[in-house]
Amino acid sequence: MRPPRHPWLWTVIATLITAVFLLPVYWMVKTSLTRPDRILRPDPQWAPSPVTGENYSTALGYEGLTRALFNSLVISCGVVALTLLLGVPLAYALARIRMRGSGTMVLALLVAQLPPAIVLAAPLFILERRAGLTGTYLGLIAADTTLTLPFTVIVLRPVMRSMSPELEEAALVDGCGLPGVLLRVVLPLMVPGVVAAAGLSFLIGWGEFLFGLTLGEGPDVQPVTVLLNAFIGQHGTSWGALMATATLISIPVVCVFAVFQRFIVGGLTAGSVRG
Amino acid sequence: MNQPSARRRRTGYLFCLPGMAFLALFLAYPLLYNVWTSVHDVDLGQLLGGAERFNGLDNYRTVADDPAFWHSVRLSLVFTLGSLLLQFTIGFALALLFARPFPFNGLLRSLLLVAWLLPPVVSGTLFRWMLDAESGAYNALFQAVGLSGLSHDWLTDPSTSMAGVVFANVWVGVPFNMLLLLVGLHTIDPELHEAAAIDGASAGQRFRHITLPLMRPVSVTVLLLGLLYTFKVFDLVFVMTGGGPVDATRVLSLYVYEVFFSFFRFGQGAAAGLLLLVVPLLAGVWYVRRLRREDEAPAGGAV
C-alpha cells in the first residue's frame, strides 16, 4: 500500500465533518448548561456563559424523574439478564449441536427481527392486560426482550461457531455434562461476544419507548424515555430542563458505548451484515 | 465423542426450549392474535368483557376506505425513500473518507456513532429544539452564514415538517450506513486500485469501475436494513411532531398507533398493522433467499 499523502489534512477534514455532524449533541449539552433566561434568544450563544447547573436541579425537581431513571435502570438490567439467560444456551445449541430443526429455528430468529414494535405493542397490550402484566416491570422487560433476544442469538451463534471445539470435547471426555461445559468452558472463552450482546441489550432496553408508552401504565414503572416525551408537552418551553433531562438519559448510553465500544461495533457489524 | 449423540441432542433441545418458548409466547402468539383481532369487532368494552364478534373483512374494508390510511401509506413511502437515499449517499461519502488511513480515524468514527446510539426519544427532542423557529440552532446557523432565506419554522409548517423529520432520521441513520459500507470498502483488494492506477485510470474511473461494482452486495444489504428500519420508525416522528401538523407526518406506524391506542379500534388497528408487517416480511424473505443464492455461488461477493 502506498504511504498516504497528507494524512493530517484528512484528519482536519474528518474532524470538521464530525463537528458539524455532532452539533446537535453539543447543542443539547450546551443548552442544558445555559441559564434559562439566556436560552430563548433570537441570537443564541455558541457557548454557555456563565455555566449553570440550574436546569439540572429544575429537571431533577420534576416529579417522577428520579423514579423514571430508576425504572429505566431496572428495566434495562432486567432485559440484559433475561436476554442472556435465554439467549446464551439457545445460541450455543444452535451453534454446536446437530439437531433437527436448527435451520428452522435460525430462520425464525431472523424473521423475529422483522415485525415493527407497533404491530407487536397492540396485541401485547391486550394480552398483557388480560394477564395482569401491564404496569409491571416484568411486562416491560418481557416486551423489550422480544427485541433483544433474536438479535443476541444471531450475534452470538457465529462467535460460538468460530471457537475451536477441542476444549469442549476434552471437558466432555472428562465427564463434564453439557451444561457444565457451557458454564465452565464456553462462557469464559466468549466473554467479548457476551459483553457485546449485554451492552447492546442494555442500550435497547434503556432507549425503548413504545412499549414503555403502551404497557407501562402509571409512574411506578414508566421508563424515563416516556417521561421525557411527556415533559415536552407539559414543559414545552423550558428547553433548558428538557435538554438537561435528555443529557441525563444520554450519559449511560455514551458510557456503555465508551467502555464496550470495540465489542459493540464488532457485534453490530457481525450481526447485521451477515445476519 | 464420548457422550452418546442422542443424549447430546436432547440436551440441545433443552437449551433451546426456554428461549424459543419465550418467543412463541411473547412474539409469535401476539402476532397471530393480531391476525385474529383483525377479523373481529373489538373495542375497549368488549376487550374487558370478552365478547368479540367475528366480522370477516369488515375491518380491512374500513381501513381501505379511510383516506387517512392511504395518506399515511404515501407519507411512509416519502419518509422511507427520502431517508434511504440521503443516508446512503452521505454514509457512502463518509465511508470513502474514513477508509483512508489518517490519525484519529478510529476516534472520530466512534464519535459519529453516538448519533446512532442515542435513544430515538432523545434525538427527537433534540431535533425539535434544533429546528425550533425562534431559537433553534440551525436557523441561527443559517443566519450566521448568510442563508437566512433557509431560516424557517420547519416542524410547525405542514409543507416542511416532513423534510424536518427526514432530516433527523437521516442524521440517526448515517453513522450506521457509514459503518457497514466501511466494512465493505475494506474487503476490496487495494491491489486492484493500484493496478488500475498504474494503467492510467483516474480516481473517478477507479471509483466507477472498481469500487461501485464491488460494493453492490454490501449496498443492497445496507439499503435493505435501512428499509426495514426506516419503514417502522415510530418514536422519532412521534416525539418530533406527533404526526402533525395537520397529519403532514402521520406515517403508517403513527396511524396504527392512533387507531389502536387513541381510538381503541383494535380490529382496524390490527388490520392496518398487518400491512406494516407484510412489507418487512416480504423484504426479509427476498433478502434471505438472495443470501442463500450467494452462499451457493463459488466466490461469495457479500461481506
Side-chain angles (χ1 to χ4, degrees), chain B residues 12-290:
Chain B
Y13 284 124
L14 276 180
F15 277 10
C16 293
L17 187 67
M20 295 312 283
F22 173 85
L23 287 175
L25 196 62
F26 281 93
L27 188 73
Y29 175 57
L31 288 177
L32 289 176
Y33 185 80
N34 207 40
V35 178
W36 184 89
T37 310
S38 76
V39 289
H40 284 78
D41 185 15
V42 192
D43 63 24
L44 200 55
Q46 285 150 339
L47 173 73
L48 300 173
E52 306 88 349
R53 193 174 49 80
F54 178 77
N55 65 356
L57 296 177
D58 278 3
N59 291 320
Y60 291 91
R61 264 181 231 119
T62 313
V63 169
D65 286 342
D66 184 359
F69 170 74
W70 295 110
H71 180 63
S72 76
V73 171
R74 274 193 300 276
L75 290 177
S76 272
L77 280 177
V78 173
F79 179 75
T80 307
L81 292 179
S83 299
L84 279 185
L85 195 70
L86 287 169
Q87 71 193 20
F88 181 80
T89 318
I90 300 172
F92 207 124
L94 284 181
L96 287 170
L97 171 67
F98 279 95
R100 296 169 173 276
F102 56 76
F104 299 113
N105 184 312
L107 175 71
L108 292 169
R109 222 186 320 161
S110 303
L111 281 175
L112 283 177
L113 264 186
V114 169
W116 183 73
L117 284 163
L118 287 182
V121 178
V122 169
S123 323
T125 316
L126 197 47
F127 274 90
R128 251 181 105 126
W129 171 224
M130 294 297 288
L131 295 169
D132 184 71
E134 277 119 49
S135 309
Y138 282 126
N139 286 335
L141 195 65
F142 290 143
Q143 270 153 18
V145 298
L147 288 169
S148 40
L150 279 174
S151 298
H152 188 70
D153 200 353
W154 293 93
L155 293 179
T156 48
D157 177 347
S159 63
T160 55
S161 54
M162 180 53 92
V165 292
V166 167
F167 182 74
N169 189 54
V170 168
W171 186 80
V172 173
V174 158
F176 185 64
N177 278 250
M178 177 200 73
L179 192 70
L180 297 191
L181 290 166
L182 194 57
V183 174
L185 283 175
H186 280 315
T187 62
I188 297 178
D189 186 352
E191 283 178 18
L192 281 173
H193 276 279
E194 281 168 33
I198 290 169
D199 289 344
S202 70
Q205 283 171 327
R206 278 180 281 140
F207 178 72
R208 263 197 62 198
H209 297 292
I210 299 174
T211 310
L212 271 189
L214 287 176
M215 285 296 281
R216 243 193 57 155
V218 194
S219 303
V220 172
T221 304
V222 172
L223 285 170
L224 188 100
L225 289 173
L227 169 76
L228 292 176
Y229 172 77
T230 313
F231 194 64
K232 62 184 180 189
V233 165
F234 173 83
D235 9 26
L236 188 75
V237 182
F238 185 80
V239 171
M240 279 181 79
T241 64
V246 237
D247 289 358
T249 57
R250 183 154 285 113
V251 290
L252 194 48
S253 57
L254 267 75
Y255 173 87
V256 172
Y257 173 85
E258 187 160 276
V259 170
F260 204 95
F261 290 103
S262 302
F263 304 143
F264 298 109
R265 296 203 304 255
F266 297 140
Q268 282 147 41
L274 283 181
L275 188 65
L276 211 47
L277 194 58
V278 165
V279 172
L281 278 180
L282 286 179
V285 167
W286 173 82
Y287 181 62
V288 169
R289 289 181 59 146
R290 191 172 174 280

Side-chain angles (χ1 to χ4, degrees), chain A residues 104-151:
Chain A
T104 316
M105 279 194 265
V106 172
L107 192 67
L109 288 164
L110 282 173
V111 173
Q113 292 181 295
L114 296 174
I118 178 68
V119 183
L120 197 58
L124 267 182
F125 171 74
I126 301 181
L127 294 171
E128 286 206 355
R129 193 167 186 148
R130 282 189 182 153
L133 280 174
T134 47
T136 67
Y137 286 133
L138 188 63
L140 284 179
I141 292 169
D144 289 359
T145 302
T146 62
L147 306 172
T148 53
L149 182 58
F151 182 82

Side-chain angles (χ1 to χ4, degrees), chain A residues 7 11 21 24 27-28 31 41 98 100 112 116 122-123 126 130 142 169 172 210 213 232 257 261 273-274, chain B residues 1 3 9 13 22 27 30 33 47 52 102-103 110 117 126 128-129 135 137 171 180 234 257 260 291 295:
Chain A
T11 305
F21 191 81
W27 211 253
M28 169 174 80
T31 308
R41 296 214 320 208
R98 280 171 187 275
R100 215 179 294 159
I126 301 181
R130 282 189 182 153
E169 276 162 29
L172 283 173
L210 181 58
L213 184 70
I232 300 178
F257 179 62
Q261 209 214 101
V273 181
R274 223 352 167 199
Chain B
M1 196 162 288
Q3 198 165 16
R9 210 175 304 140
Y13 284 124
F22 173 85
L27 188 73
Y33 185 80
L47 173 73
E52 306 88 349
F102 56 76
S110 303
L117 284 163
L126 197 47
R128 251 181 105 126
W129 171 224
S135 309
W171 186 80
L180 297 191
F234 173 83
Y257 173 85
F260 204 95
L291 275 187
D295 278 343

